[in-house]
Amino acid sequence: MADLTPLLAFRWSPRAFDPDAVLTDDEAASLLEAARWAPSAGNAQPWRFALGHRHDETWKRLLVSLPDRDQHWARHACALVLGAHTGGDPERSAYDLGQAMAHLTVQATALGLHAHQLVGFDRAALRADLDLPPEVRPLVVTAVGRLGDPFALPEELCLRETALRRRHPLEALLLS
């Protein structure tokens, strides 16, 4: 494997979060600041965020938008972050938001945190529940927290959580 910064090499998306851990205000600010400094086409910065700390109203609204299978483990995350985008070109805006969320995820790793991004959620219900303006398009909910006990997960998730991480070989990803 090529030389890779540990921030990327050790990043992963667990489902086992410590239900007692707390995301500090400084950590939350650091995550959002990292996202704010992501590259953006034309410096449009089309990303918008909603941050919910465990058990506050925003967190509850984000959590109930997730499917039951994800609520089961995401409820233990310290925080849930909605990533949304605005702008006239939805593809470009979504790409820029992806950059911002990637920066947030790497910053989480630098802080000793973990992030698990979810795109399967009820966007329409969440849009209404958070009273989002029509130009704000929700794209991802990210669970953020400290690593918890994988053996506290249901058996199927525990097996996935404790399995070796695998990636496609680089050669399989190249188009030519």
Side-chain angles (χ1 to χ4, degrees):
M1 180 166 84
D3 192 23
L4 191 63
T5 177
L7 291 176
L8 296 175
F10 296 117
R11 184 226 52 86
W12 67 296
S13 302
R15 290 173 186 83
F17 287 103
D18 179 346
D20 298 318
V22 175
L23 184 72
T24 68
D25 290 341
D26 285 346
E27 289 169 330
S30 181
L31 295 174
L32 295 173
E33 192 67 14
R36 186 173 81 93
W37 282 97
S40 174
N43 202 25
Q45 301 172 44
W47 41 74
R48 301 294 181 268
F49 305 103
L51 172 67
H53 291 270
R54 189 184 300 118
H55 303 304
D56 74 12
E57 281 305 309
T58 300
W59 183 90
K60 290 174 186 174
R61 291 171 188 219
L62 293 169
L63 184 67
V64 299
S65 76
L66 300 175
D68 289 343
R69 69 178 185 274
D70 293 327
Q71 284 184 37
H72 180 78
W73 58 266
R75 66 189 166 94
H76 295 299
C78 296
L80 296 174
V81 180
L82 171 67
H85 61 89
T86 65
D89 183 345
E91 286 182 4
R92 187 163 113 181
S93 297
Y95 177 81
D96 281 359
L97 173 62
Q99 290 271 8
M101 296 309 294
H103 277 62
L104 183 148
T105 300
V106 171
Q107 185 65 20
T109 304
L111 295 173
L113 299 165
H114 292 277
H116 189 119
Q117 298 182 24
L118 301 148
V119 294
F121 62 96
D122 189 339
R123 286 174 175 74
L126 187 56
R127 173 186 295 285
D129 212 20
L130 293 178
D131 195 26
L132 298 177
E135 69 275 7
V136 175
R137 294 184 282 290
L139 186 65
V140 62
V141 173
T142 302
V144 178
R146 301 201 187 288
L147 200 55
D149 180 5
F151 297 102
L153 294 169
E155 183 178 359
E156 176 191 334
L157 291 180
C158 180
L159 291 172
R160 290 173 65 186
E161 194 81 353
T162 57
L164 290 176
R165 282 179 64 204
R166 301 214 186 276
R167 289 300 212 214
H168 295 296
L170 183 57
E171 301 78 38
L173 303 175
L174 297 174
L175 295 173
S176 53

